[in-house]
Amino acid sequence: MPETVKAWLVRKPISAIRSFLEIEAAGGIVLMAVAVLALIAANSPLAGAYDQLLHLPMGLRIGDFALEKTLLHWVNDGLMAVFFLLVGLEIKREILQGELSSRETLMLPGIAAVGGVVLPALIYAVINVGDPVALRGWAIPAATDIAFALGVLSLLGSRVPVSLKVFLTALAIIDDVAAVVIIALFYTGDISLPFLAWAAAGVAVLGLFNWLRVQALWPYLVVGAVVWLFVLKSGLHATLAGVVLAFLVPLDRTAEDEDEPPLLRLEHSLHDFVAFLVVPVFGFANAGVSFAGASVSSFLEPVPLGIAAGLVLGKSLGVGVAAWASIRLGFAALPAGATTAQLAGVSVLAGIGFTMSLFIGALAFEGPALQAATKMGVLAGSLVAAVLGSLWLVAVSRRPAVPAAG
């Protein structure tokens, strides 16, 4: 009989949540630094070289088969598929064995996440209601950047209880589920049925591996890479292949296998790679926006204003009010050791939407003007949310007293 990851953790106790939070927080701090570097590059004499680097053509040709894209597209379609693979692994683990596996632990972040997706999208849509092209960006302010947000929380140290960090993590993971569904439904191009059929065949092979409980990772990764290629050529966004692969990697292990379950092995091997390479490279490639000729009025244009308002107002109110209402109505409980005021501060930090917001913006808009407006809105909204949330948490939280020596 297969052994679940819970049983494995009982036999080999590890602080999985603490390790996850530490990696994500450190990755978030790196992401902040990379975003600053991208802004410096885009607003300095290096701007020309920065733009040329991103649009450097790169490709692969085998006979009549050709796959040619710019470096920016390789980052967004290739490296981000690895990011989505990790996201999918985390979602599957949390749903089956983690913070989202029971009604009690799911209710608070689940209800809060619904409010945090719906209200930002509505605010953006109201501000951009007269422009059908701009309306394609309605989902941009709907996602929380888990690494960036936890990075900010880590700077506050012990002022914020671990339970609130776990709440924010669960909230962001549910946000990621919503983002994956939104990308699949609303941000796909023309579909090529032959390539889609080949991708489906590859998924069937992955399903067979899962059914046979294949414990080695390399068969999943090899077939997953082929599925990614077919999905890329099919018209669906290639990052969806990463999520599909993740959900077909087994979370159970055989009784004879003394190693971690395959899903945990892959998740652990990818965590540092994604946190310290994939996401920072994506941030550097997508955060650089030139402010030449920009003014305060530039940030008040409908697209950047809708994004920033959605992140700052929509997220804080959507998450905060939904969480408060679920607690007052008895559907959920306040995280252990936390106060309502601290929960409100974390709700504001949920408005940090850097990575996923920039990614959805790149899918929503093709023109450079709207893409630049997207970056302005995401950067402004995320910065304001980070500052306001941090100041609020510092004001309402006290650092735990250090016991006197003796």
Side-chain angles (χ1 to χ4, degrees):
M1 292 292 291
E3 184 178 0
T4 65
V5 65
K6 280 185 176 179
W8 183 89
L9 287 176
V10 168
R11 294 175 61 253
K12 282 189 174 183
I14 59 173
S15 182
I17 293 178
R18 185 176 300 276
S19 176
F20 174 84
L21 293 175
E22 288 175 353
I23 293 174
E24 291 292 335
I29 294 173
V30 172
L31 186 56
M32 296 178 207
V34 167
V36 172
L37 289 177
L39 289 173
I40 293 173
N43 293 274
S44 70
L46 297 174
Y50 175 76
D51 187 68
Q52 288 179 359
L53 176 65
L54 295 182
H55 292 88
L56 181 69
M58 301 178 66
L60 173 67
R61 181 179 295 275
I62 303 176
D64 294 333
F65 179 83
L67 187 61
E68 297 179 351
K69 292 179 176 292
T70 64
L71 178 60
L72 179 61
H73 280 98
W74 279 111
V75 169
N76 291 351
D77 292 342
L79 276 183
M80 287 302 284
V82 182
F83 169 80
F84 274 82
L85 170 59
L86 179 60
V87 167
L89 294 171
E90 291 170 350
I91 290 171
K92 179 177 179 177
R93 174 177 51 76
E94 290 295 332
I95 290 175
L96 295 181
Q97 305 285 354
E99 289 296 315
L100 308 181
S101 61
S102 67
R103 178 185 179 277
E104 292 75 13
T105 56
L106 176 62
M107 289 303 292
L108 184 62
I111 294 174
V114 171
V117 170
V118 173
L119 189 55
L122 286 176
I123 290 176
Y124 179 92
V126 168
I127 293 175
N128 290 274
V129 68
D131 188 343
V133 175
L135 274 176
R136 279 184 53 81
W138 61 270
I140 295 172
T144 296
D145 189 299
I146 181 173
F148 218 138
L150 287 176
V152 172
L153 274 182
S154 72
L155 299 177
L156 299 177
S158 56
R159 290 187 178 90
V160 180
V162 173
S163 62
L164 278 181
K165 298 177 182 179
V166 174
F167 163 75
L168 183 60
T169 300
L171 173 75
I173 288 174
I174 298 171
D175 270 0
D176 287 341
V177 175
V180 169
V181 174
I182 288 170
I183 291 170
L185 295 178
F186 299 100
Y187 296 105
T188 58
D190 296 331
I191 304 299
S192 170
L193 293 180
F195 280 112
L196 191 60
W198 281 111
V203 172
V205 173
L206 291 171
L208 179 63
F209 291 161
N210 182 283
W211 182 71
L212 294 173
R213 299 196 181 279
V214 174
Q215 297 292 297
L217 285 173
W218 69 263
Y220 294 97
L221 298 178
V222 171
V223 177
V226 175
V227 170
W228 170 83
L229 181 61
F230 286 137
V231 171
L232 177 66
K233 300 293 286 186
S234 74
L236 293 174
H237 201 274
T239 52
L240 297 176
V243 179
V244 173
L245 171 59
F247 274 76
L248 291 172
V249 175
L251 183 56
D252 292 335
R253 68 179 183 83
T254 60
E256 297 80 14
D257 192 347
E258 292 297 323
D259 293 330
E260 291 178 294
L263 185 144
L264 287 184
R265 295 206 311 270
L266 184 55
E267 184 180 352
H268 292 167
S269 64
L270 287 178
H271 237 136
D272 287 357
F273 177 71
V274 170
F276 299 113
L277 181 64
V278 172
V279 172
V281 168
F282 172 84
F284 183 77
N286 288 272
V289 57
S290 175
F291 295 117
S295 62
V296 175
S297 61
S298 301
F299 289 89
L300 300 179
E301 294 291 326
V303 168
L305 178 61
I307 294 171
L311 289 172
V312 177
L313 297 178
K315 274 292 185 181
S316 58
L317 292 176
V319 171
V321 173
W324 174 82
S326 67
I327 294 171
R328 288 298 299 268
L329 294 174
F331 296 134
L334 189 66
T339 66
T340 302
Q342 288 176 320
L343 180 62
V346 171
S347 299
V348 177
L349 289 183
I352 301 174
F354 190 81
T355 304
M356 195 66 80
S357 294
L358 288 177
F359 184 76
I360 294 176
L363 299 179
F365 303 130
E366 295 182 358
L370 285 177
Q371 289 189 359
T374 296
K375 295 175 184 179
M376 292 172 65
V378 170
L379 291 171
S382 298
L383 178 61
V384 172
V387 172
L388 290 182
S390 299
L391 292 177
W392 177 268
L393 285 170
V394 168
V396 301
S397 303
R398 290 183 178 180
R399 188 183 298 275
V402 178

